[in-house]
Amino acid sequence: MTYKIIGDSCLDLTDELKKDPHFQTVPLTLQVGNAQITDDETFDQKNFLELVRQCPQCPQSACPSPDCFKEAFECEAENIFVITISEHLSGGYNSAMVAKQLYEEEHGEGEKNIAVFSSDSASSGQLNMALFIQDLCKENTPFDEIVRKTRKFRDEMGTYFVLETLDTLRKNGRLTGLQAFFATALNIKPIMSAEKGVIIKLDQARGINKALSRMCDIIDKNIKSPEEKRLIIAHCNNEKRAELVKEEMEKRAQFKEIIITKTAGVATLYANDGGVIVAV
């Protein structure tokens, strides 16, 4: 089967996967003060983090337009799978759904198969779903079965993260329903997760390393059949922390595969310098 897996630019592909023609990302736009940055291959993380540090305003993001997604559908692949950041965090899912409708109106509904998934996650969670879909495509699994299995996979997947600060998420209204967390002076770091795409707090610890270790304990407690699963670790400008999480998880369980990837622009904006996002 011919296929393409398309994500918004919060799908944090590894350097190797960026070279794979089966994958494509559609960039969001990032706004830092007066600077507007396209989250594509030109994204400079070091420069972006410095802009954020110097800017008194909170950075923001804007999802791709339906036309941007629709343009990505104009390819030779017969089967298109779109994975967006959680619809509770961005308008990307709605934009991709509009693009699907526009494409089918123009080309006819049966011209190709298009499935759009809100990941109920971000970053490493989107990558985990993308690799799951690719596995099924390589096995020549029928399109409708891939859609069904991917929805089940998404609903059973866990996303966990520890950030240096929640300020960007809070200021951008991404912590709706969650009590604001102010413990910076005490160096208290919350361990966060997602419940049906909505951010929740699981626990907390003093200091980033203790918080990462506690996150690993929680993952180990919640995971079932780890030998059948991938563990995806995304980090924002701190590979050492990602390697620490990998080592801690290897002590606790045997996984099918552990992959470390770097955050691109969107996840960098929200995770901030030093953040770690895990999906399994």
Side-chain angles (χ1 to χ4, degrees):
M1 65 184 296
T2 57
Y3 68 93
K4 193 160 212 176
I5 299 167
I6 298 169
D8 56 36
S9 56
C10 200
L11 168 57
D12 286 323
L13 297 170
T14 63
D15 290 340
E16 183 181 356
L17 289 172
K18 288 175 185 176
K19 301 172 187 175
D20 187 330
H22 291 107
F23 293 92
Q24 180 180 346
T25 55
V26 180
L28 279 83
T29 304
L30 313 176
Q31 186 82 31
V32 185
N34 294 324
Q36 195 171 76
I37 298 121
T38 302
D39 186 17
D40 58 13
E41 66 278 357
T42 64
F43 176 74
D44 184 329
Q45 187 181 68
K46 184 177 179 181
N47 182 59
F48 179 79
L49 289 170
E50 187 57 36
L51 280 174
V52 171
R53 271 190 285 269
Q54 293 179 4
C55 183
Q57 289 105 19
C58 184
Q60 296 181 321
S61 64
C63 68
S65 70
D67 282 342
C68 291
F69 280 110
K70 181 174 173 287
E71 186 178 338
F73 300 163
E74 303 279 358
C75 62
E76 294 182 1
E78 299 164 321
N79 299 281
I80 303 285
F81 304 93
V82 186
I83 308 167
T84 73
I85 188 173
S86 169
E87 62 187 304
H88 301 286
L89 301 177
S90 169
Y93 172 75
N94 289 333
S95 187
M97 287 296 290
V98 171
K100 177 178 185 278
Q101 181 181 348
L102 292 173
Y103 184 91
E104 290 174 345
E105 286 175 358
E106 183 177 324
H107 295 273
E109 199 166 322
E111 200 267 339
K112 63 175 62 181
N113 299 314
I114 302 173
V116 180
F117 303 95
S118 166
S119 66
D120 282 351
S121 182
S123 183
S124 54
Q126 288 172 259
L127 178 55
N128 205 14
M129 288 179 63
L131 291 173
F132 178 79
I133 290 171
Q134 186 178 52
D135 287 345
L136 295 175
C137 289
K138 286 179 176 179
E139 295 168 2
N140 287 316
T141 307
F143 178 83
D144 290 342
E145 190 176 344
I146 293 176
V147 172
R148 179 181 60 78
K149 287 184 173 181
T150 301
R151 285 179 179 147
K152 183 175 185 291
F153 178 85
R154 175 196 61 192
D155 294 345
E156 293 176 352
M157 180 177 68
T159 305
Y160 308 86
F161 58 97
V162 173
L163 311 182
E164 286 281 6
T165 173
L166 298 178
D167 278 355
T168 305
L169 285 169
R170 180 175 57 82
K171 289 176 181 177
N172 278 289
R174 268 51 176 190
L175 298 180
T176 307
L178 183 71
Q179 185 178 354
F181 191 89
F182 303 101
T184 310
L186 297 174
N187 198 27
I188 301 295
K189 305 298 180 186
I191 296 96
M192 312 293 287
S193 184
E195 191 172 82
K196 295 183 179 179
V198 178
I199 295 172
I200 60 171
K201 179 187 163 192
L202 297 177
D203 205 345
Q204 63 189 51
R206 181 165 292 184
I208 193 80
N209 286 345
K210 287 183 178 178
L212 292 172
S213 179
R214 179 67 187 124
M215 177 181 70
C216 291
D217 289 338
I218 293 170
I219 294 171
D220 184 43
K221 181 181 177 182
N222 291 340
I223 194 170
K224 297 175 182 176
S225 304
E227 69 280 355
E228 300 174 2
K229 297 181 178 180
R230 285 187 180 93
L231 182 79
I232 312 288
I233 306 165
H235 70 90
C236 179
N237 195 38
N238 202 315
E239 190 166 358
K240 185 178 178 181
R241 284 181 185 165
E243 291 288 352
L244 174 66
V245 171
K246 179 182 177 183
E247 290 170 12
E248 288 294 319
M249 291 310 304
E250 285 175 333
K251 292 176 188 175
R252 291 164 169 79
Q254 182 70 43
F255 292 90
K256 179 172 76 172
E257 186 177 15
I258 298 180
I259 294 173
I260 292 176
T261 191
K262 296 174 284 190
T263 58
V266 180
T268 293
L269 187 156
Y270 290 109
N272 294 291
D273 202 0
V276 175
I277 311 157
V278 179
V280 62

